[in-house]
């Protein structure tokens, strides 16, 4: 009987692939051909396929089996001052529950996330709590607050988050048929939230529409800030940072460098935000391809240049944006094309140096001022100027302006361009410094000197040098000294320590006072390491 | 450096039936042990979904035996099969006990009522999956991971390094074949 069944299944399986995707009439033809050769099998195949519609209706195998004991139900449990009321949903990271303040003093609801145990290492519980406290300090009207993070006595890691009653940003925009300008204004609120987090050294790393809700009164709320970081706090003692980063990653919104396993920086958020804006404005994904396998998809993400926004507007998406696709294309051509192209650059260094620069350009676009993402040419600037003042300029005045756009105008524009360039350089250096300090934190965070990752430290080092921050460079040098010492390479350790001391000595006295000393156990106790002794 | 289970996974992958059986038994025991422990750890009322159970089993074994991350897909595939066995046994046990065992089958939807899954039909389903695994092991594994262990299609796609579309197509095939195997004469 079993072998019977198996043999029949095998025969059916062999034909299933051929007919499954065929349109009805071709499927019938194929089955008719099979009938000539093996009538009973053809009949069986037909019966099997005919049942498909019924399977959906009966939800055959659709309800997942999930054994839940009634005792296991967390309803009524108290976590971080909140009592769990009912389940809201479940996702890739865990289950989400609605909770209410236990003390009843305030009218307050919260969402409690119970993370899957496999995502966190129980040994890292203390660190999890500490990181949670850092994130709880993020306070911005557009960031859903993390109220508490911890681990229960039973070892279950949990997050208590501000409960946001809202709609996904893309659904919200489409439902209200928001025109492009309104979408950009909403997106600027998203940028404000991310900027606040970056200023507090928190990178989101998983920005996507389902993490951005719009509430009934039109307020944008970013969810899950720092959750990726909390999971990173659990990174293994081998400093497997890239691996844990990949875990929290949503491939469609991941920056190329995330896919190649590089460490998370603010540039990752800039990229994901670019993908988001591209989607909001055009309705399509910048690197959407027909790639079948994951590696194809990754390669596509790494190599394919996104088509200009103005060419990506889907006809069916245009209606929800209040204009025909062709009109949207014309609107997007030019500045918005350049802005999106800049945000979606493959190389992090080619993107906007930070979300503020991104926001600045979008604001300039909305005000018809020249955007930075475009090469500055006189005709372009004049074009912007004309557009901005179109209403107030009589035709004659325009003609006069064009004639007198002589030496002084060009000189002034050169000066402006130089100022902008200097500002951009300074912004890039600031971003380098921020990245370097994040890297240093990441490298040291996991398990002290011994566990820190050499490649991460090297990258932090070169960014600290490029960012021109001697104090930071000194701290990186200390970390490198520790890395070498932990591996018994005391000569290299001493070289780094000497560099650190030299840098520290050159710092202004006030800064040097705060300068954290090198804590390098191996080097300090080694008799042949006098440099380490004197740094104590 | 893999321990005993890592060795078993490798031997099993090369088609050694004895290794497959040994692996299955070990994983079944481990799943059972963790499930029991969770159930009897009084006081802390926490969900114990199959997904959590599976992940935790993986973590336990990986930690204890130093299993390489690369063998995780194979590990989870075998463990999912063990989970299927565990679930079916629990339902059978529940029926034998009359008053109901400790596991309680509900649908995973937050609001949906518990799905009525009679023990007999679950056993039959298990037999049909066994038959399917003879024909196409990957399809049977997909059912184990998705239906019995609560893995989403996206998670399975991630695990297998294929697109979600491929997984959805496989699911369509698996569902058709299983339904047919369960009710071949029904129109």
């Amino acid at each position: 009987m079993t072998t019977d069944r198996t043999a029949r299944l095998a025969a059916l399986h062999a034909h299933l692939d051929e007919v499954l995707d065929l349109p009805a009439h071709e499927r019938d033809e194929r089955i008719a051909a099979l009938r000539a050769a093996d009538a009973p099998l053809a009949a069986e195949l037909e019966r099997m396929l005919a049942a498909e519609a019924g399977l959906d209706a009966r939800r055959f195998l659709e309800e997942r089996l999930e054994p839940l004991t009634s005792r296991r139900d967390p309803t009524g449990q108290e976590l971080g001052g909140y009592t769990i009321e009912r389940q809201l949903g479940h996702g890739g990271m865990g289950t989400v529950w609605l909770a209410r303040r236990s003390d009843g003093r305030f009218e307050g609801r919260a969402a409690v996330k119970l993370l899957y145990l496999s995502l966190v290492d129980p040994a890292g519980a203390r660190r999890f709590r500490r990181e949670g406290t850092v994130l709880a300090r993020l306070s911005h009207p557009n960031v859903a607050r993390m109220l508490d993070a911890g681990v229960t006595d039973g070892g279950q890691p949990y997050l208590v988050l501000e409960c946001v009653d809202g709609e996904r940003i893309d659904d919200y925009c489409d439902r209200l048929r928001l025109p492009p300008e309104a979408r950009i204004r909403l997106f600027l609120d998203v940028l404000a939230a991310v900027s606040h987090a970056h200023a507090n050294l928190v990178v989101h790393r998983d920005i996507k529409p389902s993490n951005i809700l719009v509430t009934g009164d039109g307020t944008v709320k970013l969810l899950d800030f720092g959750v990726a970081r909390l999971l990173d706090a659990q990174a293994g003692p081998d400093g497997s940072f890239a691996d844990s980063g990949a875990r929290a990653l949503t491939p469609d919104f991941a920056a190329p460098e995330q896919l190649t396993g590089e460490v998370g920086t603010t540039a990752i958020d800039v990229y994901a935000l670019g993908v988001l804006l591209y989607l909001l404005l055009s309705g399509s994904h910048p690197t959407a391809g027909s790639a079948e396998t994951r590696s194809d998809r990754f390669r596509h993400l790494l190599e394919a240049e996104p088509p200009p926004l103005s060419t990506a507007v889907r006809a069916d998406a245009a209606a929800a944006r209040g204009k025909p696709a062709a009109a949207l294309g014309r609107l997007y051509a030019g500045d918005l094309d350049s802005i999106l192209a800049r945000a979606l650059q493959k190389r992090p260094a080619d993107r906007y140096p930070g979300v503020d620069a991104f926001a600045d350009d979008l604001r300039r676009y909305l005000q018809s001022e020249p955007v930075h993402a475009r090469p500055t040419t006189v005709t372009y600037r004049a074009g912007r100027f004309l557009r901005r003042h179109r209403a107030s300029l009589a035709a004659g005045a325009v003609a006069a302006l064009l004639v007198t756009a002589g030496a002084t105008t060009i000189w002034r524009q050169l000066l402006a361009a130089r100022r902008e360039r200097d500002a951009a350089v300074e912004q890039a250096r600031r971003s380098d410094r921020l990245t370097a300090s994040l890297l240093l934190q990441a490298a040291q965070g996991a398990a002290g000197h011994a566990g820190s990752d050499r490649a991460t430290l090297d990258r932090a080092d070169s960014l600290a040098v490029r960012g021109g921050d001697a104090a930071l460079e000194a701290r990186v040098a200390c970390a490198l000294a520790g890395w070498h010492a932990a591996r018994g390479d005391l000569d290299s350790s001493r070289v780094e320590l000497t560099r650190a001391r030299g840098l520290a000595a050159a710092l202004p006295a006030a800064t040097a006072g705060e300068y954290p000393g090198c804590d390098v156990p191996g080097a300090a106790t080694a008799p042949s390491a006098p440099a380490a002794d004197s740094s104590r | 450096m893999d321990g005993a289970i890592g060795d078993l996974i490798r031997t099993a992958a090369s088609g050694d039936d004895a290794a497959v059986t040994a692996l299955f038994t070990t994983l079944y025991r481990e799943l059972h042990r963790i499930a029991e422990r969770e159930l009897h750890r009084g006081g802390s009322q926490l969900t114990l979904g199959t997904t959590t159970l599976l992940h935790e089993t993986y973590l336990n074994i990986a930690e204890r035996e130093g299993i390489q991350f690369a063998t995780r897909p194979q590990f989870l595939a075998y463990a999912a099969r063990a989970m299927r066995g565990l679930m079916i046994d629990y339902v059978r046990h529940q029926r034998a006990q009359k008053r109901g065992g400790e596991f309680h089958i509900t649908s995973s939807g937050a609001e949906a009522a518990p799905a009525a899954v009679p023990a007999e039909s679950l056993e039959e389903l298990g037999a049909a999956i066994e038959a399917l695994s003879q024909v196409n092991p990957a399809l049977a594994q997909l059912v184990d991971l998705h239906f019995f262990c609560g893995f989403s299609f996206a998670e399975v796609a991630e695990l297998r390094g294929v697109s979600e579309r491929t997984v959805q197509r496989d699911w369509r095939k698996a569902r058709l074949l299983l339904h047919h195997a369960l009710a071949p004469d029904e129109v």
Side-chain angles (χ1 to χ4, degrees):
Chain A
M1 151 92 202
T2 312
T3 35
D4 245 24
R5 182 193 242 172
T6 308
R8 257 203 351 260
L9 273 185
L12 288 168
H13 178 262
H15 290 283
L16 193 52
D17 264 324
E18 286 173 29
V19 297
L20 200 57
D21 295 325
L22 293 179
H25 64 280
E26 285 180 40
R27 185 190 273 189
D28 292 345
E29 278 170 26
R30 191 65 64 91
I31 293 176
L34 175 65
R35 193 171 293 123
D38 187 342
L41 183 63
E44 214 176 336
L45 188 62
E46 249 181 326
R47 250 201 335 268
M48 179 171 74
L49 291 166
E52 186 164 26
L55 295 189
D56 283 334
R58 286 173 36 203
R59 299 183 59 74
F60 178 67
L61 293 186
E62 295 255 306
E63 314 268 324
R64 277 170 14 188
L65 279 183
E66 198 64 60
L68 278 173
T69 67
S70 48
R71 286 198 297 124
R72 295 284 119 187
D73 186 349
T75 307
Q77 192 184 355
E78 204 184 306
L79 287 173
Y82 287 83
T83 309
I84 294 180
E85 283 196 343
R86 63 182 169 88
Q87 190 167 9
L88 292 173
H90 55 91
M93 289 198 313
T95 50
V96 189
W97 301 78
L98 179 70
R100 230 166 253 287
R101 272 195 77 104
S102 309
D103 56 17
R105 276 190 306 170
F106 298 93
E107 202 277 315
R109 294 186 314 166
V112 170
K113 244 184 202 182
L114 301 178
L115 300 183
Y116 289 138
L117 293 172
S118 61
L119 288 179
V120 281
D121 168 9
R126 205 157 30 98
R127 216 183 130 72
F128 189 88
R129 267 193 213 102
R130 198 176 62 220
E131 287 285 340
T133 331
V134 173
L135 293 169
R137 283 207 292 269
L138 280 189
S139 171
H140 189 275
N142 300 121
V143 176
R145 286 200 62 157
M146 178 172 303
L147 302 165
D148 190 21
V151 183
T152 65
D153 297 339
Q156 167 72 56
Y158 67 89
L159 307 169
V160 184
L161 306 155
E162 177 187 344
C163 192
V164 178
D165 201 3
E167 187 179 4
R168 276 169 61 133
I169 187 166
D170 48 346
D171 293 344
Y172 173 88
C173 288
D174 286 354
R175 185 173 56 80
L176 295 183
R177 303 166 81 88
L178 292 186
E181 209 169 277
R183 289 171 187 245
I184 294 173
R185 290 192 192 285
L186 205 61
F187 180 76
L188 280 170
D189 289 344
V190 178
L191 289 183
V194 179
S195 167
H196 170 75
H198 284 184
N200 285 286
L201 301 181
V202 177
V203 180
H204 191 295
R205 295 227 324 248
D206 197 18
I207 291 174
K208 56 184 172 184
S210 58
N211 272 337
I212 304 169
L213 299 186
V214 185
T215 63
D217 65 357
T219 306
V220 168
K221 289 275 187 188
L222 255 76
L223 312 183
D224 282 354
F225 241 116
V227 169
R229 168 168 158 154
L230 276 180
L231 295 179
D232 270 345
Q234 309 291 323
D238 56 341
S240 53
F241 193 85
D243 189 25
S244 59
R247 192 156 60 186
L249 177 134
T250 308
D252 281 348
F253 289 83
E257 68 269 26
Q258 262 173 306
L259 300 181
T260 52
E262 281 170 54
V263 177
T265 71
T266 52
I268 281 171
D269 284 351
V270 171
Y271 183 91
L273 287 162
V275 176
L276 174 67
L277 182 61
Y278 196 100
L279 256 173
L280 289 179
L281 293 179
S282 73
S284 44
H285 190 280
T287 54
S290 52
E292 254 297 298
T293 67
R294 192 165 71 126
S295 58
D296 282 353
R297 228 159 105 214
F298 276 19
R299 194 165 343 104
H300 197 70
L301 246 167
L302 289 176
E303 289 163 8
E305 280 304 319
L309 176 72
S310 53
T311 65
V313 182
R314 277 202 348 240
D316 57 329
R321 287 155 184 80
K323 279 191 168 69
L328 284 175
R330 279 195 299 279
L331 178 69
Y332 295 163
D335 286 348
L336 282 175
D337 271 349
S338 314
I339 290 173
L340 266 308
R342 178 91 190 267
L344 293 171
Q345 285 295 315
K346 301 285 178 211
R347 278 168 22 106
D350 295 338
R351 286 173 214 146
Y352 283 109
V355 284
D356 290 339
F358 193 175
D360 185 43
D361 249 5
L362 285 171
R363 262 183 233 110
R364 283 166 170 274
Y365 167 78
L366 289 177
Q367 290 159 12
S368 300
E369 287 173 21
V371 304
H372 290 127
R374 238 178 121 101
T376 51
T377 64
V378 172
T379 45
Y380 166 70
R381 282 167 173 278
R384 286 288 95 172
F385 180 81
L386 287 182
R387 213 183 110 188
R388 191 165 50 208
H389 300 282
R390 194 177 291 151
S392 60
L393 284 175
V398 174
L401 178 81
L402 288 178
V403 172
T404 57
T408 50
T409 320
I410 290 168
W411 173 241
R412 224 178 291 135
Q413 274 162 354
L414 270 177
L415 278 181
R418 195 175 299 161
R419 267 200 309 276
E420 276 165 22
R421 190 202 55 208
D422 291 348
V425 167
E426 180 43 40
Q427 213 157 11
R429 297 177 86 193
R430 223 181 301 144
S431 152
D432 281 343
R433 291 199 291 270
L434 173 62
T435 310
S437 75
L438 281 171
L439 286 172
L440 179 62
Q441 236 179 311
Q444 288 185 317
H449 294 307
S452 55
D453 166 17
R454 175 73 197 272
T456 308
L457 285 174
D458 282 345
R459 232 175 96 68
D461 193 26
S462 59
L463 284 173
V465 173
R466 216 169 71 183
D469 185 338
L472 190 58
E473 201 188 327
R475 279 166 52 209
V476 178
C478 274
L480 277 167
W483 191 89
H484 288 301
R487 279 154 191 77
D489 183 355
L490 295 179
D491 287 341
S492 303
S493 178
R494 238 187 336 267
V495 170
E496 294 296 347
L497 275 177
T498 311
R499 178 161 75 105
R501 269 193 321 165
L503 286 160
L507 289 173
T511 327
E514 296 164 18
Y515 166 73
C518 284
D519 177 20
V520 186
T525 51
S528 60
D533 289 340
S534 54
S535 79
R536 291 250 144 183
Chain B
M1 187 181 68
D2 286 9
I5 292 198
D7 287 340
L8 277 179
I9 290 178
R10 260 192 307 277
T11 328
S14 68
D16 183 332
D17 283 346
V20 172
T21 311
L23 186 59
F24 180 80
T25 315
T26 312
L27 292 174
Y28 182 99
R29 253 203 319 261
E30 189 76 16
L31 284 169
H32 190 264
R33 193 179 64 77
I34 294 177
E36 287 290 313
R37 191 196 67 199
E38 287 297 315
L39 289 170
H40 293 116
R41 196 198 268 168
S44 69
Q45 297 183 322
L46 298 168
T47 48
L48 178 75
T50 42
T51 319
T52 314
L53 183 55
L54 200 66
H55 280 307
E56 209 193 329
T57 305
Y58 169 70
L59 212 73
N60 264 358
I61 293 180
E63 211 173 352
R64 198 174 63 216
E65 314 224 354
I67 287 184
Q68 304 292 316
F69 194 73
T71 50
R72 184 169 159 269
Q74 292 100 296
F75 175 91
L76 287 177
Y78 286 115
R81 202 188 128 199
M83 178 73 88
R84 186 217 308 157
L86 184 70
M87 300 271 295
I88 293 174
D89 287 349
Y90 258 103
V91 174
R92 199 183 283 141
H93 178 70
Q94 193 176 22
R95 186 184 43 178
Q97 279 205 330
K98 278 270 190 173
R99 313 187 288 116
E102 307 233 56
F103 269 94
H104 169 56
I105 309 288
T106 67
S107 86
S108 60
E111 308 291 343
V117 184
E120 293 81 3
S121 72
L122 204 58
E123 275 172 43
E124 273 174 40
L125 178 64
I129 294 173
E130 272 309 307
L132 181 60
S133 75
Q134 303 290 312
V135 174
N136 184 334
L139 293 186
Q141 261 173 30
L142 173 60
V143 179
D144 288 342
L145 285 169
H146 182 63
F147 183 68
F148 284 98
C149 300
F151 275 55
S152 69
F153 291 143
E155 285 166 330
V156 178
E158 175 83 29
L159 203 62
R160 294 186 169 177
V162 299
S163 76
E164 205 175 321
R165 198 141 41 95
T166 305
V167 177
Q168 275 164 357
R169 195 172 182 284
D170 280 349
W171 177 250
R172 211 178 140 199
K173 288 198 305 199
R175 215 158 68 119
L176 277 172
L177 289 166
L178 280 182
H179 180 260
H180 191 73
L182 287 170
D185 301 321
E186 193 185 290
V187 177

